[in-house]
């Protein structure tokens, strides 16, 4: 199949979600039937090939706390955020046992009987606990169901968690706290390279009460992986997204008009720059386009934490950067409004919300 250019990809990113239509989980379909082909409602075929690259940045977080290495580490983080919008974080200090415990507990949730999960089916986009599977409409007007079941929880400043499995609450609380701290340190590192005053970021983005979302994605094996997709190309809301998974690859990122497999060494965290960091840095950091592909062999599960500013924070380009650049390249918007718009708004001009925030020259 002819490869698709970067311009085409931009046209086919997610435009709106319809998370309100609950079918029995995809897991049930995949478990119960001997599926030989993908049912037509899942059909999605716009999948340019991905390459493997050994130049995806790897950041050693422990260097940040080493006086001799800190300035180089900070420089490397900023460079990764600007060039790729993505990096592999190692030696991040989150215990492997905790990450495994979160994965196990999340898997237990997906394994609950459908009747148990049904109480959390999404009724509105702003439900703090929701699960199911849903349809997506892309900007090129394709509508299809994702080859994925999800569980989405708002975990900070208020912590929401299903009652079952019981173990989930405890491990998730700790994971949420530790990832928040990590995200804050990364934001600080970025602002240090931008020579912003230390307090400035915390004050403007109100990181003390950062809005943090937890999402677990469950992708059953798919009989025709090139006929369906886990999540089509999109960018995330927030500052930094952290992703870990069960050892089965599937995340791909877009870089210079080409797709790449995001490999992850054991115990690493895949980090991507999200929309509000691009906006806040007036475009210096890039909110990277990414997608999740499926495979026919093994089930895959990813655990995602979207670390945002406070839902009350009005996020626009940082004033000192606007001054330096001569103008703002993005409009400001309250974060809460941004998250809701991304989930519910139908098209304004057919572009994803980050595109709509851009202020063009003319
Ligand atoms: C997401 C996402 C990718 C994956 O949940 O926003 O991009 O590999 N997930 O599961
Ligand atoms: Ni994402």
């Amino acid at each position: 199949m002819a490869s698709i250019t970067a311009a085409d990809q931009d046209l086919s990113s997610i435009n709106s979600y319809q998370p309100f239509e609950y079918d029995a989980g995809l897991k049930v379909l995949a478990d119960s039937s001997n599926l030989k082909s993908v049912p037509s409602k899942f059909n999605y075929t716009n999948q340019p090939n991905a390459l493997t690259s050994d130049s995806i940045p790897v950041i050693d977080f422990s260097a940040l706390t080493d006086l001799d290495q800190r300035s180089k580490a900070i420089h490397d983080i900023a460079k990764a955020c600007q060039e790729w919008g993505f990096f592999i974080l190692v030696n991040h200090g989150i215990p492997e046992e905790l990450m495994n415990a979160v994965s196990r507990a999340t898997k237990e949730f997906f394994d609950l009987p459908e009747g148990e999960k049904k109480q959390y089916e999404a009724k509105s986009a702003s439900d703090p606990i929701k699960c199911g599977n849903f349809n997506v409409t892309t900007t090129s007007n394709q509508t299809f169901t994702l080859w994925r079941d999800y569980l989405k929880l708002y975990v900070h400043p208020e912590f929401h968690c299903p009652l079952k499995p019981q173990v989930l609450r405890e491990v998730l609380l700790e994971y949420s706290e530790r990832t928040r701290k990590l995200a804050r340190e990364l934001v600080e590192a970025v602002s240090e390279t931008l020579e912003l005053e230390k307090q400035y970021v915390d004050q403007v983005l109100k990181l003390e009460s950062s809005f943090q979302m937890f999402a677990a994605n469950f992708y059953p094996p798919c009989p025709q992986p090139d006929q369906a997709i886990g999540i089509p190309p999109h960018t995330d809301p927030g500052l930094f997204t952290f992703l870990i998974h069960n050892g089965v690859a599937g995340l791909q990122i877009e870089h210079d008009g080409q797709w790449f497999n995001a490999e992850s060494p054991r115990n690493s965290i895949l980090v991507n720059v999200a929309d509000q960091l691009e906006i806040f840095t007036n475009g210096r950091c890039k909110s990277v386009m990414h997608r999740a592909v499926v495979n026919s062999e093994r089930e895959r599960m990813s655990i995602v934490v979207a670390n945002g500013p406070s839902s009350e924070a009005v996020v626009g380009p940082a004033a000192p950067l606007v001054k330096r650049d001569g103008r703002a390249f993005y409009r400001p918007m309250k974060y809460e409004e941004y998250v809701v718009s991304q989930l519910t708004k139908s098209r304004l001009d057919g572009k994803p919300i980050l595109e709509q925030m851009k202020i063009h020259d003319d």
Side-chain angles (χ1 to χ4, degrees), residues 174-234:
E174 186 176 350
Y175 190 61
S176 141
E177 200 174 305
R178 286 184 181 254
T179 45
R180 236 168 23 245
K181 183 159 175 281
L182 198 57
R184 219 163 162 179
E185 289 177 85
L186 291 177
V187 172
E188 248 179 54
V190 170
S191 53
E192 200 170 318
T193 44
L194 297 177
E195 293 167 17
L196 297 174
E197 269 183 48
K198 233 183 158 171
Q199 285 313 304
Y200 182 84
V201 179
D202 258 50
Q203 274 169 12
V204 176
L205 301 180
K206 303 184 170 74
L207 293 183
E208 195 58 52
S209 51
S210 83
F211 181 48
Q212 192 186 35
M213 285 184 279
F214 168 89
N217 302 302
F218 181 82
Y219 308 96
C222 176
Q224 296 169 295
D226 56 349
Q227 303 291 310
I229 193 146
I231 310 181
H234 67 285

Side-chain angles (χ1 to χ4, degrees), residues 109-124:
F109 175 84
F110 285 117
D111 286 342
L112 289 174
E114 284 308 301
E116 292 269 3
K117 288 186 275 187
K118 200 155 171 63
Q119 61 181 306
Y120 300 117
E121 73 184 59
K123 288 167 202 75
S124 122

Side-chain angles (χ1 to χ4, degrees), residues 151-349:
L151 166 66
K152 209 169 248 188
L153 311 172
Y154 296 171
V155 290
H156 194 261
E158 275 175 34
F159 181 76
H160 298 270
C161 184
L163 292 173
K164 285 189 189 171
Q166 264 185 10
V167 61
L168 186 59
R169 166 168 290 266
E170 186 189 334
V171 293
L172 196 51
L173 249 180
E174 186 176 350
Y175 190 61
S176 141
E177 200 174 305
R178 286 184 181 254
T179 45
R180 236 168 23 245
K181 183 159 175 281
L182 198 57
R184 219 163 162 179
E185 289 177 85
L186 291 177
V187 172
E188 248 179 54
V190 170
S191 53
E192 200 170 318
T193 44
L194 297 177
E195 293 167 17
L196 297 174
E197 269 183 48
K198 233 183 158 171
Q199 285 313 304
Y200 182 84
V201 179
D202 258 50
Q203 274 169 12
V204 176
L205 301 180
K206 303 184 170 74
L207 293 183
E208 195 58 52
S209 51
S210 83
F211 181 48
Q212 192 186 35
M213 285 184 279
F214 168 89
N217 302 302
F218 181 82
Y219 308 96
C222 176
Q224 296 169 295
D226 56 349
Q227 303 291 310
I229 193 146
I231 310 181
H234 67 285
T235 61
D236 295 337
L239 296 166
F240 280 114
T241 305
F242 295 160
L243 182 142
I244 59 177
H245 59 72
N246 65 340
V248 178
L251 175 66
Q252 298 180 339
I253 56 175
E254 199 250 7
H255 178 69
D256 284 347
Q258 173 66 53
W259 285 96
F260 292 93
N261 295 305
E263 310 275 329
S264 52
R266 203 181 137 165
N267 201 24
S268 61
I269 298 180
L270 298 174
V271 180
N272 69 265
V273 170
D275 293 355
Q276 273 61 36
L277 194 63
E278 174 168 328
I279 294 172
F280 185 74
T281 61
N282 209 20
R284 285 167 177 77
C285 295
K286 300 276 175 290
S287 183
V288 70
M289 188 83 96
H290 57 284
R291 64 184 186 187
V293 298
V294 293
N295 75 85
S296 59
E297 304 288 314
R298 297 175 62 193
E299 64 184 34
R300 172 166 185 263
M301 194 178 69
S302 66
I303 306 271
V304 174
V305 178
N307 299 284
S310 158
S311 54
E312 296 301 313
V314 176
V315 185
L321 300 182
V322 171
K323 202 165 165 202
R324 245 177 263 168
D325 296 342
R327 72 182 188 90
F329 296 111
Y330 302 82
R331 284 174 250 284
M333 190 187 269
K334 193 170 159 191
Y335 186 47
E336 184 174 29
E337 204 179 309
Y338 193 95
V339 171
V340 172
S341 301
Q342 193 178 38
L343 283 172
T344 58
K345 263 212 184 111
S346 56
R347 67 199 59 216
L348 286 183
D349 62 359

